[in-house]
Amino acid sequence: MSNERYNARDSEPRWQRKWDDQQIFSTRNDDTRPKYYVLEMFPYPSGRIHMGHVRNYTMGDVVARYKRAKGFNVLHPMGWDAFGMPAENAAMANKVHPKSWTYENIATMRTQLKSMGLSLDWSREIATCDPSYYKHQQRMFLDFLKAGLVERKQSKVNWDPVDQTVLANEQVIDGRGWRSGALVEQRELTQWFFKISDYSEDLLASLDRLDRWPDKVRTMQRNWIGRSEGLLIRFALDAANAPAATSEIKIFTTRPDTLFGAKFLALSPDHPLSKELAKSNPAVAAFLEECSHTGTAREAIETTEKKGIDTGLRVLHPFDPDWKLPVYVANFVLMDYGTGAIFGCPAHDQRDLDFVNVYGLGNTPVVCPEGQDPKTFVITDTAYDGDGRLINSRFLDGMTIAEATEEVAKRLEAATLGNAPVGERQVNFRLRDWGISRQRYWGCPIPIIHCETCGVVPVPVKDLPVELPEDIEFDRPGNPLDRHASWKHVNCPQCGGKARRETDTMDTFVDSSWYFARFTDPWNEDAPTTRNVVDRMLPVDQYIGGIEHAILHLLYSRFFTRAMKATGHIDLDEPFDGLFTQGMVVHETYKSASGAFVSPAEINISHEGEQRTAILLSTGEPVTIGPIEKMSKSKRNTVDPDDIIATYGADTARWFMLSDSPPDRDVIWSEESVQGASRLVQRVWRLVSAAAPLLPPSGTAIDNGNPAAKALRTATHQALADVSQSIERLRFNTAIAKIYSFVGTLHEVVDDPKKPLANDAALAAAAREAFDVMVQLIAPMTPHLAEECWAALGHQTLVSEAAWPKLEESLLVSDTVTLPVQINGKKRADITVSRSAQNSEIEAAVLALDAVKSALGGKPHKKVIVVPQRIVNVVA
RNA sequence: GCGGACGUGGCGGAACUGGUAGACGCAAGGGACUUAAAAUCCCUCGAUGGCAACGUCGUACGGGUUCGAUUCCCGUCGUCCGCACCA
């Protein structure tokens, strides 16, 4: 065999140039073949690509290359999610302009991505920070505004004191900013909102149809949208001490059946009535003040006791005007869910029970578990929220929860208070509107002008884009746009008078909510989309990215697509037909004796039997091998893709990323496994080099009558079938395993000491087919190696442009089939029978087997189960 | 607390809708080639008993359904993820 090693460093740039020169990956919008849109979540240009990118883009590239070979018009673009805080932080720290910082990073990362050999259409590259992109985003903002999908309102917002900006609910994790990690504060600000809640019902219901999404993501979105059905009940205030302007309190409940167990009503501290009462009641005012200091962090919520204050108000029970309930303000009632007020049924709600146990209001059980004697059913410290039948509830007694719920709803719908019904069925959602205002410079300006006389005035479309000024200072915290000397001072487009620009910019999640649509025609300067193009190229057929976007980005994009539909920019509801969430790249951690983390490049690992020990290369001191964790700079367990590509080549990195773990699970990066991948690359090259001179031209007729040739063909087409199916299902690790096996088979053929390839024309012809197919099978994963092998096999074309081999299914079916024979479920023998054998024939043949006879020991068998083409089981 | 996923050799993992458990890779051990090393090639590799043929056990644990269970059902334990005072 050839001793010449495959030289990735020489080969890879050569093939990349060739693909580039021939523009084979640029996609034409007028191509009439069926389209297939493959998209990986576009990167934030942080500086350099990391292994997570390598994994993500390799997976997408395999799908893109495979679908291209299968004859689809594949759209596989790349761009940059280029606005965001880090650019401003860099500006503050290093005195570089966010724009130049961003574009320099893009240039670096583009070069890195190109060195991976991705089949991307770079002619469609976009950066969201480019005015040619955000111009259209501003246009859509104005369209959404006109369509009533944008709202400006004062609201309590999550304020990140470190980044000095507002955060959406989705961006607050455990009470902390998702980026800064700072404890989030509550502030009252006037903000722009996208009315995502208009689509709550649709966003929820449509999840059922997204059957090519992971269940996990759908479940997370369902929980986030949080639909619950219940009853809105209006409680009349006891006129004796009701405030002048108020005669009722509205509450929302999902348990109207427990109405006879009510002990109190409770208002949120933020409820308008609470605030009203505070004006004349110092005790209430003091309580509200106390509540405003309670944190929103999870720990604060868990440890805060249930507290309240009796307002002195009383309400009348809807079914009994003589039954009066006290009205409290309570710290555990949320203003932004339901009506901001509840009725408390302590026996069947733990929070209510904790509350009454503090204030001594008692409880009355009204739902009794089946089989329990109502007379002995007592609630003390644990509320009962299970099934049962109603007790202590007058006309509801004996009903199930569902029956009682329905009965209460019916009666209260029929009853009136003033001239409106007392009860009203209502559906509530947890999902809030999406606050998009950010007090930052490096974002898309909100195209609005505030005029003293005209109020809020949209920037006329002809004046778009509203461009960011470039002369900007980052010497102080806060929004630099607001401090700019001239930028915000403009004339009102309506009256011409003095006016002020909106200085807030949009949340960067707006930028990424429609980029997939822009990729379909990034050249259109007049509109965000070109309708006859976007409607044909979308939806994205396969979207690939990290699970961390399960709610934020994926929910926003689903909303944005609907809003674009409502404003005529697209005809589509769901942007992503198939979604795949890939796992992380993780690595061992290492610590020196001093306890500091050490990077993998600084150490050497040696084996003593199964023991692994590590030492520091520089000093020889021992290093502790720590747990496997997500690659991160702080743990110093990162591996730079550039180093790997320089040492082993992009194909090795790609192959490794696909091989070890299922793509949705974490993959452990290890030096040994990378070397395994590298071995495969070299092995394929050696094999092809050795075989090429012995093979007849492609297309040479094969004599299937030759048993060795037939066997090889069967192996070839089995591999083709298995690998194709694995790629279709995104099971890259099993595709890789099949390729390893098939390469092993080819190795046996080439390495056979009898050298039949040189002497057996039929086998050589079958081997030609086998090698051609093998190279095509590896082409989506290791495209450079595949091109090199394809050329070595005498092809004048590019394997990247070759059609996927045609499967000959007849080769996969043999005349005979070997069935395992079990006795009582344990395998004892094999039997080879004709494929068309009748069950009775098989049964007789099996019973005649020596192994079966001896296992039965002369005793009769009970029965024989024959599963055709699968297995035979003898029941003794 | 609620919801979801998962638990298979020394390790990553495979096993289509219940049908030969451990494919493929990594690590390890033995051997060939070499002056030597690297590279490459061959063999072994779940546990246990046996010289061997072969047998027994084995997919977190305990039950169940079935001719047959890693797969389905019930319970227990553990790990991970998401949400969380949502009425």
Side-chain angles (χ1 to χ4, degrees):
Chain A
M1 274 205 225
S2 163
N3 292 322
E4 200 184 327
R5 286 177 64 80
Y6 173 70
N7 186 346
R9 227 173 305 180
D10 162 71
S11 157
E12 291 183 351
R14 190 153 34 79
W15 292 109
Q16 285 162 17
R17 229 173 296 128
K18 199 143 197 167
W19 298 330
D20 210 29
D21 289 346
Q22 300 189 20
Q23 293 285 300
I24 61 169
F25 302 127
S26 49
T27 307
R28 296 176 54 124
N29 284 340
D30 58 3
D31 194 313
T32 53
R33 293 173 300 166
K35 66 93 186 179
Y36 195 91
Y37 190 172
V38 189
L39 187 66
E40 301 96 59
M41 291 180 185
F42 66 164
Y44 176 77
S46 55
R48 304 182 62 76
I49 65 168
H50 52 67
M51 281 299 172
H53 292 126
V54 175
R55 194 176 192 203
N56 192 186
Y57 300 137
T58 299
M59 288 181 193
D61 201 46
V62 171
V63 175
R65 286 176 178 271
Y66 171 76
K67 288 290 179 183
R68 186 174 285 112
K70 291 287 271 187
F72 288 91
N73 177 35
V74 169
L75 176 58
H76 187 213
M78 180 56 72
W80 310 96
D81 188 11
F83 273 136
M85 282 294 301
E88 282 187 66
N89 292 339
M92 283 183 269
N94 309 321
K95 302 242 180 258
V96 284
H97 195 279
K99 183 176 172 181
S100 50
W101 183 85
T102 302
Y103 279 98
E104 276 163 28
N105 286 348
I106 287 175
T108 306
M109 292 173 74
R110 187 192 298 114
T111 306
Q112 289 187 293
L113 288 185
K114 287 194 172 181
S115 75
M116 284 180 62
L118 303 170
S119 64
L120 291 164
D121 181 355
W122 283 102
S123 71
R124 293 171 188 255
E125 178 182 0
I126 53 181
T128 57
C129 64
D130 195 306
S132 68
Y133 182 81
Y134 68 67
K135 164 185 168 179
H136 302 293
Q137 191 164 305
Q138 293 173 337
R139 158 78 182 277
M140 286 192 285
F141 177 92
L142 297 175
D143 289 346
F144 292 3
L145 182 66
K146 211 180 288 175
L149 293 167
V150 179
E151 197 176 28
R152 186 163 185 261
K153 60 186 179 193
Q154 191 173 27
S155 80
K156 222 174 189 184
V157 294
N158 306 300
W159 178 261
D160 185 323
V162 169
D163 284 352
Q164 299 233 343
T165 188
V166 166
L167 297 175
N169 289 324
E170 290 84 349
Q171 294 160 358
V172 180
I173 317 285
D174 294 347
R176 291 171 183 275
W178 72 292
R179 186 140 238 165
S180 72
L183 275 176
V184 168
E185 301 166 2
Q186 302 298 308
R187 284 202 183 181
E188 288 272 342
L189 283 178
T190 304
Q191 298 284 298
W192 290 98
F193 286 85
F194 280 156
K195 293 173 76 178
I196 188 170
S197 66
D198 281 8
Y199 293 94
S200 298
E201 191 78 64
D202 183 31
L203 287 168
L204 182 71
S206 301
L207 287 172
D208 293 341
R209 286 183 277 116
L210 294 175
D211 52 9
R212 290 186 53 229
W213 279 41
D215 286 341
K216 182 187 171 79
V217 174
R218 292 197 287 172
T219 304
M220 282 166 71
Q221 291 212 355
R222 265 185 209 113
N223 292 341
W224 189 264
I225 296 169
R227 182 182 197 274
S228 57
E229 290 179 11
L231 200 63
L232 187 86
I233 304 177
R234 297 161 65 228
F235 280 79
L237 275 164
D238 184 3
N241 57 356
T246 316
S247 62
E248 62 178 42
I249 296 173
K250 284 185 197 171
I251 64 97
F252 175 74
T253 179
T254 55
R255 292 292 303 272
D257 56 300
T258 63
L259 201 48
F260 285 107
K263 291 292 172 192
F264 64 95
L265 254 66
L267 305 171
S268 164
D270 297 313
H271 196 282
L273 183 54
S274 306
K275 292 180 182 173
E276 180 64 29
L277 292 168
K279 288 180 190 164
S280 56
N281 185 334
V284 171
F287 182 72
L288 297 196
E289 172 64 15
E290 187 191 331
C291 289
S292 70
H293 293 305
T294 309
T296 51
R298 186 201 311 189
E299 308 89 77
I301 287 168
E302 271 179 358
T303 53
T304 305
E305 285 173 47
K306 302 284 176 282
K307 269 191 178 177
I309 184 164
D310 188 349
T311 61
L313 302 187
R314 296 294 177 264
V315 291
L316 313 182
H317 195 280
F319 289 126
D320 185 349
D322 296 327
W323 181 352
K324 291 178 185 170
L325 294 162
V327 178
Y328 279 74
V329 178
N331 63 352
F332 65 95
V333 182
L334 305 173
M335 187 58 222
D336 50 4
Y337 185 78
T339 62
I342 60 158
F343 87 80
C345 175
H348 305 290
D349 183 296
Q350 191 61 46
R351 291 158 304 175
D352 298 344
L353 185 63
D354 293 344
F355 187 76
V356 296
N357 285 347
V358 175
Y359 295 98
L361 300 174
N363 75 74
T364 307
V366 290
V367 177
C368 182
E370 216 76 52
Q372 169 99 34
D373 180 0
K375 289 190 201 88
T376 62
F377 185 53
V378 179
I379 301 286
T380 52
D381 292 327
T382 308
Y384 177 72
D385 61 2
D387 280 339
R389 296 213 175 246
L390 273 284
I391 55 171
N392 302 324
S393 294
R394 307 188 189 180
F395 52 85
L396 299 176
D397 283 351
M399 291 185 185
T400 63
I401 290 175
E403 288 162 0
T405 301
E406 182 59 28
E407 183 63 26
V408 170
K410 257 194 226 159
R411 290 194 184 219
L412 291 183
E413 277 176 320
T416 55
L417 182 61
N419 44 19
V422 173
E424 199 182 318
R425 287 176 216 248
Q426 203 180 57
V427 176
N428 258 314
F429 293 93
R430 218 185 69 110
L431 183 66
R432 311 285 147 67
D433 282 333
W434 173 17
I436 59 152
S437 298
R438 297 291 180 275
Q439 293 69 42
R440 308 305 327 168
Y441 165 71
W442 196 231
C444 171
I446 295 173
I448 289 290
I449 290 167
H450 301 281
C451 170
E452 278 172 29
T453 43
C454 308
V456 172
V457 181
V459 172
V461 171
K462 67 173 171 51
D463 293 344
L464 297 182
V466 175
E467 282 200 52
L468 290 168
E470 297 205 9
D471 53 329
I472 200 92
E473 299 288 336
F474 290 97
D475 47 349
R476 282 169 290 165
N479 184 355
L481 275 183
D482 204 35
R483 293 197 305 267
H484 190 275
S486 59
W487 186 75
K488 69 176 173 183
H489 302 295
V490 288
N491 292 331
C492 171
Q494 269 176 30
C495 70
K498 278 201 173 163
R500 180 179 62 80
R501 265 194 206 292
E502 173 70 60
T503 56
D504 283 354
T505 51
M506 294 185 209
D507 180 3
T508 56
F509 277 99
V510 179
D511 312 338
S512 54
S513 290
W514 70 286
Y515 77 106
F516 46 87
R518 184 65 187 169
F519 275 137
T520 61
D521 187 358
W523 304 283
N524 186 339
E525 292 175 14
D526 302 321
T529 59
T530 307
R531 281 298 299 273
N532 64 2
V533 175
V534 74
D535 291 343
R536 191 156 38 83
M537 299 304 274
L538 283 178
V540 173
D541 295 278
Q542 187 61 59
Y543 198 33
I544 307 178
I547 186 74
E548 67 273 18
H549 292 109
I551 295 173
L552 293 171
H553 163 59
L554 290 167
L555 189 61
Y556 292 150
S557 297
R558 295 181 63 219
F559 156 72
F560 217 86
T561 305
R562 284 163 170 78
M564 285 174 75
K565 185 182 180 185
T567 50
H569 292 293
I570 211 169
D571 182 22
L572 181 82
D573 290 308
E574 291 295 343
F576 312 122
D577 191 46
L579 172 70
F580 188 84
T581 52
Q582 103 262 7
M584 295 184 300
V585 183
V586 296
H587 195 289
E588 274 181 340
T589 50
Y590 310 102
K591 268 186 182 174
S592 69
S594 64
F597 283 108
V598 206
S599 84
E602 295 171 305
I603 61 154
N604 184 46
I605 293 180
S606 54
H607 295 269
E608 255 179 62
E610 291 186 358
Q611 280 292 313
R612 296 166 71 239
T613 51
I615 54 153
L616 203 58
L617 279 173
S618 53
T619 65
E621 73 167 286
V623 170
T624 316
I625 301 178
I628 296 168
E629 302 199 49
K630 178 182 182 174
M631 282 191 181
S632 75
K633 281 179 193 155
S634 60
K635 300 263 165 56
R636 303 205 62 198
N637 61 341
T638 57
V639 177
D640 189 336
D642 272 2
D643 293 346
I644 297 302
I645 290 173
T647 311
Y648 298 99
D651 284 340
T652 294
R654 294 169 58 117
W655 183 265
F656 171 78
M657 279 305 181
L658 300 165
S659 58
D660 266 11
S661 295
D664 53 346
R665 279 197 226 168
D666 292 350
V667 64
I668 303 168
W669 182 278
S670 79
E671 193 63 22
E672 290 92 347
S673 296
V674 176
Q675 280 168 9
S678 174
R679 269 201 288 276
L680 183 278
V681 169
Q682 294 299 338
R683 187 179 165 98
V684 166
W685 176 243
R686 269 198 315 278
L687 259 183
V688 168
S689 304
L694 306 172
L695 302 176
S698 290
T700 301
I702 309 166
D703 174 12
N704 282 340
N706 177 315
K710 174 92 187 284
L712 180 55
R713 294 206 71 200
T714 298
T716 300
H717 285 266
Q718 190 63 56
L720 173 60
D722 290 346
V723 172
S724 304
Q725 199 193 41
S726 289
I727 295 177
E728 296 270 4
R729 291 201 209 154
L730 309 179
R731 304 278 300 262
F732 306 118
N733 56 324
T734 58
I736 295 268
K738 296 289 195 275
I739 292 174
Y740 267 115
S741 294
F742 185 45
V743 168
T745 303
L746 293 187
H747 184 263
E748 282 168 25
V749 170
V750 174
D751 224 23
D752 191 323
K754 283 176 284 192
K755 299 283 174 205
L757 264 196
N759 312 317
D760 184 336
L763 183 62
R768 154 56 71 175
E769 178 190 48
F771 271 90
D772 282 352
V773 167
M774 185 272 284
V775 170
Q776 291 203 261
L777 293 182
I778 64 167
M781 290 101 173
T782 56
H784 314 86
L785 172 68
E787 293 290 5
E788 201 69 34
C789 292
W790 195 244
L793 288 171
H795 294 279
Q796 306 296 315
T797 54
L798 292 169
V799 71
S800 298
E801 292 199 289
W804 198 247
K806 195 171 175 312
L807 180 65
E808 285 184 37
E809 294 195 44
S810 61
L811 287 165
L812 306 183
V813 184
S814 65
D815 300 337
T816 60
V817 55
T818 300
L819 303 174
V821 176
Q822 295 182 330
I823 307 216
N824 291 333
K826 282 193 188 299
K827 190 201 167 195
R828 298 294 175 186
D830 284 312
I831 190 165
T832 300
V833 295
S834 156
R835 174 162 285 275
S836 56
Q838 298 297 307
N839 285 3
S840 54
E841 297 172 41
I842 297 172
E843 189 175 326
V846 163
L847 291 172
L849 287 172
D850 288 342
V852 173
K853 281 185 194 163
S854 66
L856 288 174
K859 282 175 238 154
H861 65 279
K862 287 208 183 98
K863 63 173 163 173
V864 178
I865 289 149
V866 179
V867 184
Q869 320 294 328
R870 279 225 174 265
I871 203 165
V872 182
N873 192 18
V874 180
V875 185

